[in-house]
């Protein structure tokens, strides 16, 4: 009777083939190791997971965009997909002053679909989000954690409160447009920016 033994590793597979000549007596017929590239050369598990999450997000974004295009086509709205517009101006001023063309409306929907808009200006929403992110007020834990940047956090709440009082009848895009368009170098990005 022949017996195959395997030693499986991450980068190798060792094997041996033995033959039983008598009871509890074996002779070695063949042995060796098959080597292969390290599957972790692409980075750590964490890096691969992050890349996979990024790919999934991009797929979801593409899927949302397909659904918006399908909605426009099924409603018989004609539009040009690649026209360039000042989207913040469209959202903040033009949409309230005139009827938008199909191309402009599609450009706004495409932008929101890709970037998912901006967060609520409600202080309660911001607090709830930061509590979840920073695990503040976690009832399951005995440990109470403060926000990492308390000054920036409290300044932001005060700033949002002031914005809500000053611009009672305006939407978030209108407020952001009004504030940023006055600057020499306006920016509408919200990454790592508590204020937006």
């Amino acid at each position: 009777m022949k017996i195959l033994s395997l030693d499986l590793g991450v980068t190798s597979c060792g094997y041996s083939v033995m033959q039983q000549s008598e009871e509890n007596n074996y002779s070695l017929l063949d042995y060796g190791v098959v080597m292969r590239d390290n599957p972790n050369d692409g980075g750590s598990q964490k890096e691969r997971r992050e890349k996979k999450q990024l790919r999934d997000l991009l797929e979801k974004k593409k899927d949302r965009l397909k659904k918006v295009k399908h909605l426009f086509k099924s409603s018989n709205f004609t539009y040009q997909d690649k026209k360039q517009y000042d989207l913040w101006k469209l959202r903040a001023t033009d949409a309230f002053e005139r009827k938008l063309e199909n191309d402009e409306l599609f450009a706004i929907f495409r932008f929101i679909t890709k970037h998912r808009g901006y967060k609520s200006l409600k202080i309660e929403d911001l607090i709830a989000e930061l509590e979840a992110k920073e695990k503040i007020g976690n009832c399951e834990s005995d440990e109470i954690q403060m926000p990492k940047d308390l000054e920036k956090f409290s300044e932001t709440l005060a700033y949002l409160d002031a914005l809500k009082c000053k611009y009672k009848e305006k939407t978030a895009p209108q407020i952001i447009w009004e504030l940023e368009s006055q600057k020499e170098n306006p920016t509408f990005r919200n990454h790592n920016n508590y204020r937006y």
Side-chain angles (χ1 to χ4, degrees), residues 99-156:
K99 183 179 176 182
L100 297 179
E101 296 174 16
N102 289 351
D103 294 346
E104 296 170 324
L105 193 59
F106 178 77
I108 290 172
F109 273 84
R110 182 182 62 213
F111 177 76
I112 292 173
T113 298
K114 284 176 133 182
H115 301 283
R116 303 289 291 269
Y118 275 75
K119 300 198 183 314
S120 169
L121 283 181
K122 291 183 180 176
I123 290 176
E124 302 81 29
D125 293 345
L126 179 64
I127 290 172
E129 181 184 331
L130 286 170
E131 281 179 348
K133 185 178 178 184
E134 302 289 342
K135 295 184 174 57
I136 304 166
N138 182 359
C139 294
E140 297 171 6
S141 172
D142 293 335
E143 184 181 343
I144 298 174
Q145 297 181 2
M146 294 293 287
K148 290 180 180 130
D149 195 344
L150 188 58
E151 290 78 21
K152 190 182 262 189
F153 178 73
S154 58
E155 282 176 19
T156 300

Side-chain angles (χ1 to χ4, degrees), residues 62-72:
K62 286 179 187 176
D63 188 49
R64 287 195 307 265
L65 190 55
K66 281 180 189 174
K67 287 178 180 176
V68 168
K69 286 180 179 181
H70 177 72
L71 174 69
F72 270 69

Side-chain angles (χ1 to χ4, degrees), residues 165-182:
C165 292
K166 185 174 179 182
Y167 302 101
K168 289 181 181 168
E169 302 298 321
K170 299 199 177 199
T171 64
Q174 287 177 308
I175 295 170
I176 293 168
W177 170 261
E178 193 163 320
L179 295 174
E180 285 297 320
S181 60
Q182 296 169 6

